PDB file of all heavy atoms in Angstrom:
ATOM      1  N   ILE M 358    -100.366-119.107  86.694  1.00  0.00           N
ATOM      2  CA  ILE M 358     -99.924-119.855  87.879  1.00  0.00           C
ATOM      3  C   ILE M 358    -101.060-120.083  88.855  1.00  0.00           C
ATOM      4  O   ILE M 358    -101.998-119.284  88.956  1.00  0.00           O
ATOM      5  CB  ILE M 358     -98.738-119.114  88.547  1.00  0.00           C
ATOM      6  CG1 ILE M 358     -98.090-119.975  89.633  1.00  0.00           C
ATOM      7  CG2 ILE M 358     -99.159-117.780  89.092  1.00  0.00           C
ATOM      8  CD1 ILE M 358     -96.741-119.437  90.070  1.00  0.00           C
ATOM      9  N   GLU M 359    -100.981-121.191  89.537  1.00  0.00           N
ATOM     10  CA  GLU M 359    -101.899-121.583  90.613  1.00  0.00           C
ATOM     11  C   GLU M 359    -101.982-120.455  91.646  1.00  0.00           C
ATOM     12  O   GLU M 359    -100.964-119.935  92.067  1.00  0.00           O
ATOM     13  CB  GLU M 359    -101.293-122.826  91.272  1.00  0.00           C
ATOM     14  CG  GLU M 359    -102.199-123.543  92.226  1.00  0.00           C
ATOM     15  CD  GLU M 359    -103.120-124.500  91.481  1.00  0.00           C
ATOM     16  OE1 GLU M 359    -103.238-124.411  90.224  1.00  0.00           O
ATOM     17  OE2 GLU M 359    -103.730-125.317  92.155  1.00  0.00           O
ATOM     18  N   LYS M 360    -103.184-120.104  92.033  1.00  0.00           N
ATOM     19  CA  LYS M 360    -103.293-118.964  92.943  1.00  0.00           C
ATOM     20  C   LYS M 360    -102.598-119.188  94.277  1.00  0.00           C
ATOM     21  O   LYS M 360    -101.978-118.289  94.837  1.00  0.00           O
ATOM     22  CB  LYS M 360    -104.750-118.588  93.176  1.00  0.00           C
ATOM     23  CG  LYS M 360    -105.500-119.536  94.069  1.00  0.00           C
ATOM     24  CD  LYS M 360    -106.792-118.963  94.588  1.00  0.00           C
ATOM     25  CE  LYS M 360    -107.493-120.020  95.437  1.00  0.00           C
ATOM     26  NZ  LYS M 360    -106.645-120.677  96.421  1.00  0.00           N
ATOM     27  N   SER M 361    -102.681-120.415  94.798  1.00  0.00           N
ATOM     28  CA  SER M 361    -102.151-120.619  96.146  1.00  0.00           C
ATOM     29  C   SER M 361    -100.639-120.450  96.190  1.00  0.00           C
ATOM     30  O   SER M 361    -100.071-120.118  97.213  1.00  0.00           O
ATOM     31  CB  SER M 361    -102.532-122.002  96.673  1.00  0.00           C
ATOM     32  OG  SER M 361    -101.947-122.989  95.854  1.00  0.00           O
ATOM     33  N   ALA M 362     -99.966-120.656  95.054  1.00  0.00           N
ATOM     34  CA  ALA M 362     -98.519-120.484  95.048  1.00  0.00           C
ATOM     35  C   ALA M 362     -98.146-119.021  94.951  1.00  0.00           C
ATOM     36  O   ALA M 362     -97.129-118.592  95.474  1.00  0.00           O
ATOM     37  CB  ALA M 362     -97.895-121.253  93.881  1.00  0.00           C
ATOM     38  N   ALA M 363     -98.961-118.240  94.277  1.00  0.00           N
ATOM     39  CA  ALA M 363     -98.537-116.905  93.879  1.00  0.00           C
ATOM     40  C   ALA M 363     -99.173-115.789  94.693  1.00  0.00           C
ATOM     41  O   ALA M 363     -99.020-114.626  94.363  1.00  0.00           O
ATOM     42  CB  ALA M 363     -98.840-116.700  92.406  1.00  0.00           C
ATOM     43  N   GLY M 364     -99.894-116.135  95.745  1.00  0.00           N
ATOM     44  CA  GLY M 364    -100.458-115.077  96.571  1.00  0.00           C
ATOM     45  C   GLY M 364    -101.599-114.330  95.912  1.00  0.00           C
ATOM     46  O   GLY M 364    -101.734-113.135  96.073  1.00  0.00           O
ATOM     47  N   ARG M 365    -102.409-115.037  95.165  1.00  0.00           N
ATOM     48  CA  ARG M 365    -103.616-114.398  94.614  1.00  0.00           C
ATOM     49  C   ARG M 365    -104.746-114.520  95.631  1.00  0.00           C
ATOM     50  O   ARG M 365    -104.981-115.600  96.165  1.00  0.00           O
ATOM     51  CB  ARG M 365    -103.999-115.091  93.292  1.00  0.00           C
ATOM     52  CG  ARG M 365    -105.200-114.438  92.661  1.00  0.00           C
ATOM     53  CD  ARG M 365    -105.334-114.584  91.159  1.00  0.00           C
ATOM     54  NE  ARG M 365    -104.477-115.556  90.524  1.00  0.00           N
ATOM     55  CZ  ARG M 365    -104.937-116.547  89.738  1.00  0.00           C
ATOM     56  NH1 ARG M 365    -106.235-116.728  89.563  1.00  0.00           N
ATOM     57  NH2 ARG M 365    -104.099-117.356  89.138  1.00  0.00           N
ATOM     58  N   PRO M 366    -105.472-113.440  95.923  1.00  0.00           N
ATOM     59  CA  PRO M 366    -106.495-113.542  96.968  1.00  0.00           C
ATOM     60  C   PRO M 366    -107.697-114.374  96.542  1.00  0.00           C
ATOM     61  O   PRO M 366    -108.011-114.479  95.363  1.00  0.00           O
ATOM     62  CB  PRO M 366    -106.913-112.088  97.220  1.00  0.00           C
ATOM     63  CG  PRO M 366    -106.450-111.303  96.040  1.00  0.00           C
ATOM     64  CD  PRO M 366    -105.322-112.061  95.408  1.00  0.00           C
ATOM     65  N   SER M 367    -108.373-114.927  97.514  1.00  0.00           N
ATOM     66  CA  SER M 367    -109.557-115.745  97.284  1.00  0.00           C
ATOM     67  C   SER M 367    -110.456-115.646  98.497  1.00  0.00           C
ATOM     68  O   SER M 367    -109.984-115.459  99.613  1.00  0.00           O
ATOM     69  CB  SER M 367    -109.122-117.199  97.068  1.00  0.00           C
ATOM     70  OG  SER M 367    -110.217-118.066  97.263  1.00  0.00           O
ATOM     71  N   ALA M 368    -111.762-115.760  98.279  1.00  0.00           N
ATOM     72  CA  ALA M 368    -112.676-115.779  99.418  1.00  0.00           C
ATOM     73  C   ALA M 368    -113.360-117.130  99.536  1.00  0.00           C
ATOM     74  O   ALA M 368    -114.297-117.295 100.299  1.00  0.00           O
ATOM     75  CB  ALA M 368    -113.702-114.655  99.288  1.00  0.00           C
ATOM     76  N   VAL M 369    -112.852-118.102  98.789  1.00  0.00           N
ATOM     77  CA  VAL M 369    -113.469-119.427  98.777  1.00  0.00           C
ATOM     78  C   VAL M 369    -113.481-120.052 100.172  1.00  0.00           C
ATOM     79  O   VAL M 369    -114.447-120.712 100.560  1.00  0.00           O
ATOM     80  CB  VAL M 369    -112.728-120.344  97.766  1.00  0.00           C
ATOM     81  CG1 VAL M 369    -113.131-121.792  97.951  1.00  0.00           C
ATOM     82  CG2 VAL M 369    -113.023-119.886  96.339  1.00  0.00           C
ATOM     83  N   ALA M 370    -112.438-119.787 100.957  1.00  0.00           N
ATOM     84  CA  ALA M 370    -112.335-120.409 102.277  1.00  0.00           C
ATOM     85  C   ALA M 370    -113.526-120.065 103.163  1.00  0.00           C
ATOM     86  O   ALA M 370    -113.862-120.810 104.088  1.00  0.00           O
ATOM     87  CB  ALA M 370    -111.035-119.990 102.957  1.00  0.00           C
ATOM     88  N   LEU M 371    -114.176-118.946 102.866  1.00  0.00           N
ATOM     89  CA  LEU M 371    -115.333-118.552 103.682  1.00  0.00           C
ATOM     90  C   LEU M 371    -116.495-119.524 103.577  1.00  0.00           C
ATOM     91  O   LEU M 371    -117.389-119.528 104.422  1.00  0.00           O
ATOM     92  CB  LEU M 371    -115.809-117.165 103.271  1.00  0.00           C
ATOM     93  CG  LEU M 371    -115.125-116.016 103.988  1.00  0.00           C
ATOM     94  CD1 LEU M 371    -115.784-114.723 103.592  1.00  0.00           C
ATOM     95  CD2 LEU M 371    -115.226-116.217 105.501  1.00  0.00           C
ATOM     96  N   GLN M 372    -116.487-120.342 102.511  1.00  0.00           N
ATOM     97  CA  GLN M 372    -117.540-121.349 102.329  1.00  0.00           C
ATOM     98  C   GLN M 372    -117.698-122.247 103.551  1.00  0.00           C
ATOM     99  O   GLN M 372    -118.757-122.826 103.767  1.00  0.00           O
ATOM    100  CB  GLN M 372    -117.208-122.247 101.125  1.00  0.00           C
ATOM    101  CG  GLN M 372    -117.159-121.529  99.798  1.00  0.00           C
ATOM    102  CD  GLN M 372    -118.531-121.150  99.293  1.00  0.00           C
ATOM    103  OE1 GLN M 372    -119.534-121.618  99.806  1.00  0.00           O
ATOM    104  NE2 GLN M 372    -118.572-120.279  98.299  1.00  0.00           N
ATOM    105  N   ILE M 373    -116.648-122.386 104.323  1.00  0.00           N
ATOM    106  CA  ILE M 373    -116.716-123.318 105.451  1.00  0.00           C
ATOM    107  C   ILE M 373    -117.841-122.983 106.414  1.00  0.00           C
ATOM    108  O   ILE M 373    -118.344-123.859 107.093  1.00  0.00           O
ATOM    109  CB  ILE M 373    -115.389-123.380 106.246  1.00  0.00           C
ATOM    110  CG1 ILE M 373    -115.070-122.054 106.938  1.00  0.00           C
ATOM    111  CG2 ILE M 373    -114.234-123.815 105.351  1.00  0.00           C
ATOM    112  CD1 ILE M 373    -113.938-122.149 107.964  1.00  0.00           C
ATOM    113  N   VAL M 374    -118.243-121.713 106.479  1.00  0.00           N
ATOM    114  CA  VAL M 374    -119.279-121.367 107.461  1.00  0.00           C
ATOM    115  C   VAL M 374    -120.616-122.020 107.149  1.00  0.00           C
ATOM    116  O   VAL M 374    -121.508-122.030 107.991  1.00  0.00           O
ATOM    117  CB  VAL M 374    -119.492-119.840 107.610  1.00  0.00           C
ATOM    118  CG1 VAL M 374    -118.232-119.177 108.130  1.00  0.00           C
ATOM    119  CG2 VAL M 374    -119.972-119.201 106.331  1.00  0.00           C
ATOM    120  N   ASN M 375    -120.770-122.543 105.935  1.00  0.00           N
ATOM    121  CA  ASN M 375    -122.037-123.205 105.602  1.00  0.00           C
ATOM    122  C   ASN M 375    -122.083-124.669 106.033  1.00  0.00           C
ATOM    123  O   ASN M 375    -123.099-125.334 105.871  1.00  0.00           O
ATOM    124  CB  ASN M 375    -122.275-123.115 104.080  1.00  0.00           C
ATOM    125  CG  ASN M 375    -122.374-121.667 103.642  1.00  0.00           C
ATOM    126  OD1 ASN M 375    -122.956-120.840 104.353  1.00  0.00           O
ATOM    127  ND2 ASN M 375    -121.797-121.364 102.487  1.00  0.00           N
ATOM    128  N   TRP M 376    -121.013-125.156 106.568  1.00  0.00           N
ATOM    129  CA  TRP M 376    -120.882-126.568 106.927  1.00  0.00           C
ATOM    130  C   TRP M 376    -122.050-127.088 107.763  1.00  0.00           C
ATOM    131  O   TRP M 376    -122.595-128.159 107.492  1.00  0.00           O
ATOM    132  CB  TRP M 376    -119.559-126.777 107.665  1.00  0.00           C
ATOM    133  CG  TRP M 376    -119.279-128.187 108.104  1.00  0.00           C
ATOM    134  CD1 TRP M 376    -119.205-128.634 109.387  1.00  0.00           C
ATOM    135  CD2 TRP M 376    -119.013-129.316 107.268  1.00  0.00           C
ATOM    136  NE1 TRP M 376    -118.908-129.970 109.412  1.00  0.00           N
ATOM    137  CE2 TRP M 376    -118.787-130.423 108.107  1.00  0.00           C
ATOM    138  CE3 TRP M 376    -118.946-129.503 105.887  1.00  0.00           C
ATOM    139  CZ2 TRP M 376    -118.494-131.685 107.619  1.00  0.00           C
ATOM    140  CZ3 TRP M 376    -118.662-130.776 105.394  1.00  0.00           C
ATOM    141  CH2 TRP M 376    -118.436-131.847 106.270  1.00  0.00           C
ATOM    142  N   MET M 377    -122.437-126.339 108.773  1.00  0.00           N
ATOM    143  CA  MET M 377    -123.459-126.822 109.697  1.00  0.00           C
ATOM    144  C   MET M 377    -124.877-126.485 109.239  1.00  0.00           C
ATOM    145  O   MET M 377    -125.838-126.884 109.884  1.00  0.00           O
ATOM    146  CB  MET M 377    -123.248-126.231 111.093  1.00  0.00           C
ATOM    147  CG  MET M 377    -121.917-126.550 111.724  1.00  0.00           C
ATOM    148  SD  MET M 377    -121.609-128.330 111.940  1.00  0.00           S
ATOM    149  CE  MET M 377    -122.806-128.757 113.210  1.00  0.00           C
ATOM    150  N   GLY M 378    -124.998-125.695 108.152  1.00  0.00           N
ATOM    151  CA  GLY M 378    -126.317-125.231 107.737  1.00  0.00           C
ATOM    152  C   GLY M 378    -126.750-124.015 108.534  1.00  0.00           C
ATOM    153  O   GLY M 378    -126.051-123.581 109.455  1.00  0.00           O
ATOM    154  N   GLY M 379    -127.892-123.469 108.178  1.00  0.00           N
ATOM    155  CA  GLY M 379    -128.405-122.279 108.863  1.00  0.00           C
ATOM    156  C   GLY M 379    -127.536-121.072 108.588  1.00  0.00           C
ATOM    157  O   GLY M 379    -126.780-121.039 107.613  1.00  0.00           O
ATOM    158  N   ARG M 380    -127.667-120.047 109.465  1.00  0.00           N
ATOM    159  CA  ARG M 380    -126.795-118.886 109.329  1.00  0.00           C
ATOM    160  C   ARG M 380    -125.460-119.292 109.924  1.00  0.00           C
ATOM    161  O   ARG M 380    -125.315-119.376 111.134  1.00  0.00           O
ATOM    162  CB  ARG M 380    -127.349-117.701 110.128  1.00  0.00           C
ATOM    163  CG  ARG M 380    -128.203-116.738 109.315  1.00  0.00           C
ATOM    164  CD  ARG M 380    -128.448-115.453 110.110  1.00  0.00           C
ATOM    165  NE  ARG M 380    -128.758-115.758 111.515  1.00  0.00           N
ATOM    166  CZ  ARG M 380    -128.604-114.907 112.526  1.00  0.00           C
ATOM    167  NH1 ARG M 380    -128.146-113.692 112.322  1.00  0.00           N
ATOM    168  NH2 ARG M 380    -128.901-115.282 113.762  1.00  0.00           N
ATOM    169  N   GLY M 381    -124.490-119.556 109.084  1.00  0.00           N
ATOM    170  CA  GLY M 381    -123.223-120.100 109.569  1.00  0.00           C
ATOM    171  C   GLY M 381    -122.352-119.059 110.233  1.00  0.00           C
ATOM    172  O   GLY M 381    -122.422-117.869 109.923  1.00  0.00           O
ATOM    173  N   GLY M 382    -121.543-119.552 111.154  1.00  0.00           N
ATOM    174  CA  GLY M 382    -120.540-118.689 111.769  1.00  0.00           C
ATOM    175  C   GLY M 382    -119.331-119.533 112.130  1.00  0.00           C
ATOM    176  O   GLY M 382    -119.399-120.766 112.156  1.00  0.00           O
ATOM    177  N   HIS M 383    -118.190-118.882 112.361  1.00  0.00           N
ATOM    178  CA  HIS M 383    -117.037-119.625 112.850  1.00  0.00           C
ATOM    179  C   HIS M 383    -116.225-118.730 113.760  1.00  0.00           C
ATOM    180  O   HIS M 383    -116.298-117.506 113.696  1.00  0.00           O
ATOM    181  CB  HIS M 383    -116.188-120.173 111.703  1.00  0.00           C
ATOM    182  CG  HIS M 383    -115.377-119.140 110.972  1.00  0.00           C
ATOM    183  ND1 HIS M 383    -114.195-118.627 111.476  1.00  0.00           N
ATOM    184  CD2 HIS M 383    -115.574-118.531 109.787  1.00  0.00           C
ATOM    185  CE1 HIS M 383    -113.706-117.746 110.608  1.00  0.00           C
ATOM    186  NE2 HIS M 383    -114.521-117.653 109.587  1.00  0.00           N
ATOM    187  N   ILE M 384    -115.483-119.375 114.623  1.00  0.00           N
ATOM    188  CA  ILE M 384    -114.602-118.655 115.525  1.00  0.00           C
ATOM    189  C   ILE M 384    -113.288-119.436 115.587  1.00  0.00           C
ATOM    190  O   ILE M 384    -113.294-120.672 115.575  1.00  0.00           O
ATOM    191  CB  ILE M 384    -115.274-118.484 116.922  1.00  0.00           C
ATOM    192  CG1 ILE M 384    -114.395-117.674 117.866  1.00  0.00           C
ATOM    193  CG2 ILE M 384    -115.649-119.808 117.532  1.00  0.00           C
ATOM    194  CD1 ILE M 384    -115.114-117.301 119.150  1.00  0.00           C
ATOM    195  N   GLY M 385    -112.185-118.703 115.575  1.00  0.00           N
ATOM    196  CA  GLY M 385    -110.884-119.368 115.522  1.00  0.00           C
ATOM    197  C   GLY M 385    -110.190-119.379 116.877  1.00  0.00           C
ATOM    198  O   GLY M 385    -110.087-118.346 117.528  1.00  0.00           O
TER     199      GLY M 385
END
Side-chain angles (χ1 to χ4, degrees):
Chain M
I358 190 166
E359 191 84 346
K360 74 164 178 48
S361 63
R365 182 155 13 125
S367 162
V369 167
L371 272 186
Q372 297 287 347
I373 65 168
V374 297
N375 299 321
W376 180 246
M377 301 300 291
R380 265 192 317 158
H383 73 78
I384 183 171

